[in-house]
Every structure is written in structure tokens, then in C-alpha cells.
Amino acid sequence: MAQRRKRPQAPQAAPQRARPRSTANALTLACLGLGFLATLASGRGDSKAALGLLALAGLADTLAGRVAHGWALESEMGAELDSLASLMTWGVAASLLAYSAGLESLGLPGILLAGFAAMAAAWRLCKGDVQQGREVHEGLPLPAAGALLTAAVAFNAPPLILAGLILLAGLGQLLPIRYPRPAVSLVAAVSLLLSLGVAAFGLRAGWILPGLAGLIWGLGGPLFRSRKVVRAR
């Protein structure tokens, strides 16, 4: 009798890579859930709890990015989850926090400004989704705009300052201003994690670094891109 040939076994490397990919997706889901809880806290007028929840969401978001990009585990599902988490956390939650912490005193203009901030974030998100894989994106990234606005709330910025930041960040997201794809180094990621960890314990000083990062990237991002173009030439 002829012996049957044994079928070659599939390589076993895939399950090993699935675990860190699942970890990245779980962290992104945690970011989304914490952002949702922050909206609930802001709706109750509890800015302190909302700030702590947004700090935890920032921790989860930063860790998810390091896991996904550091180990080259990007996937279509992960990208979709990341978009939803960014919109919930840095778009909706940050806008509602700014409204409950200051814009509410402006009446109808405060409502319109909070809505404008959320809609600008959604518009930037849609533009980002169609520009996946590019080294240059149009519009200020959601985490930069959201972190800047949240930091302003953490340091008790007056309503008019919040209104001005929303207008500037919203225009930065809507206008075709080109920003290079952010590349966060290990040192920068660790610094952000430590700073957000401090903020998660209720110390508002922890929002200094995320707020400065959002401000510097918002103002200097296009300049960084220009320097890269000059060097390439």
C-alpha cells in the first residue's frame, strides 16, 4: 500500500503575533471606554473626575500606539478602533469637558463652540482615514487638539481663552494645513506616560507636558514638515 503523504503543517508564528495585536486593540478599547466615562463625568459637572479619566484614556492611547507601531502590528480593525477612540476621547469628551468647565457660562455661543469643536474633530478624523499610509496628513491631529484643550481646562483657563483655543484648533483641523505623520520616540512616550500618570492621580500639573506637546505640534508641525522637504531637496 502506498503511504499517504503528510500535509505540511502551517507555521506557528501567527498565534504569537496575535497576542500583542489583541493587547493593542484592548488598550484602544480601554481608551474609548474611558473617554465615554469622561463624557458622563463632564455631563454631571465633575471636571476633576473627567480630567482623571481623560488622563487614563491618554495612557491607554499612548501605550496602544507604542505596541502597535513599535511591533509593526497595525491592522485595519485596529485603525478603525483607533479612529473611534480618538473621536470619543479627544473630540467629544474634550469638547464636553470644555463646555461644562467654562463655555457653559457663554450661553448659546458656548454651545455652538462645543459643537464646532466636536464637528471639526469628526471632519479631521474622516480626512485622516482617507489618508492612511501617507507621511503627510492635512489637519491638526485629534490628540494634539484634545490634549491642548484639556490642559487649558486643567489650569482653569477663562471661558474666552477656551473659546479662542477651540476656534484655533478647529481651524487647524478643517484647513488644508499639512502636518507630518507624528513619530513619538521612546523618551517622549515615557515622558508622556509619566505626566499622564501624575494627572490620573488628580494632580493637574500632569497636564503641562501633554498641553505643551499639543501646542508645539499645532504651531510647529507644518514647520517640521517644511524642514524635511528642504532636507530632501
Side-chain angles (χ1 to χ4, degrees):
M1 294 179 63
Q3 295 182 353
R4 294 182 180 179
R5 294 181 179 179
K6 295 183 179 179
R7 296 180 179 179
Q9 294 182 354
Q12 300 296 322
Q16 296 177 0
R17 291 178 61 85
R19 290 182 180 178
R21 180 171 295 172
S22 299
T23 301
N25 290 339
L27 288 168
T28 305
L29 281 174
C31 175
L32 192 155
L34 289 164
F36 174 72
L37 293 177
T39 63
L40 297 181
S42 296
R44 297 196 309 267
D46 192 349
S47 298
K48 183 177 180 180
L51 286 169
L53 289 166
L54 283 174
L56 290 174
L59 282 170
D61 192 17
T62 304
L63 286 172
R66 290 301 305 177
V67 171
H69 299 303
W71 293 346
L73 297 173
E74 295 93 339
S75 65
E76 292 183 1
M77 181 177 178
E80 294 297 329
L81 281 175
D82 183 66
S83 296
L84 291 174
S86 293
L87 181 59
M88 172 60 71
T89 302
W90 306 119
V92 177
S95 302
L96 187 55
L97 173 62
Y99 175 76
S100 65
L103 295 178
E104 187 175 8
S105 63
L106 300 179
L108 180 59
I111 297 175
L112 295 177
L113 283 167
F116 171 73
M119 289 187 292
W123 181 265
R124 169 60 180 83
L125 176 65
C126 293
K127 285 201 302 183
D129 285 346
V130 300
Q131 299 177 84
Q132 286 291 339
R134 300 183 186 179
E135 290 299 321
V136 177
H137 288 181
E138 288 186 357
L140 180 64
L142 269 67
L148 176 59
L149 187 58
T150 305
V153 172
F155 291 101
N156 300 314
L160 291 180
I161 297 296
L162 293 177
L165 289 176
I166 284 178
L167 289 174
L168 290 175
L171 289 175
Q173 291 173 321
L174 295 174
L175 295 176
I177 304 172
R178 296 187 175 184
Y179 289 84
R181 184 178 180 180
V184 181
S185 65
L186 180 60
V187 174
V190 171
S191 300
L192 280 174
L193 289 172
L194 291 175
S195 184
L196 289 169
V198 170
F201 280 98
L203 299 176
R204 300 194 176 197
W207 281 104
I208 292 178
L209 183 58
L212 284 176
L215 179 62
I216 292 172
W217 191 253
L219 297 177
L223 299 178
F224 298 152
R225 172 184 171 271
S226 300
R227 290 183 62 184
K228 286 185 177 181
V229 172
V230 171
R231 289 178 182 178
R233 290 178 181 176

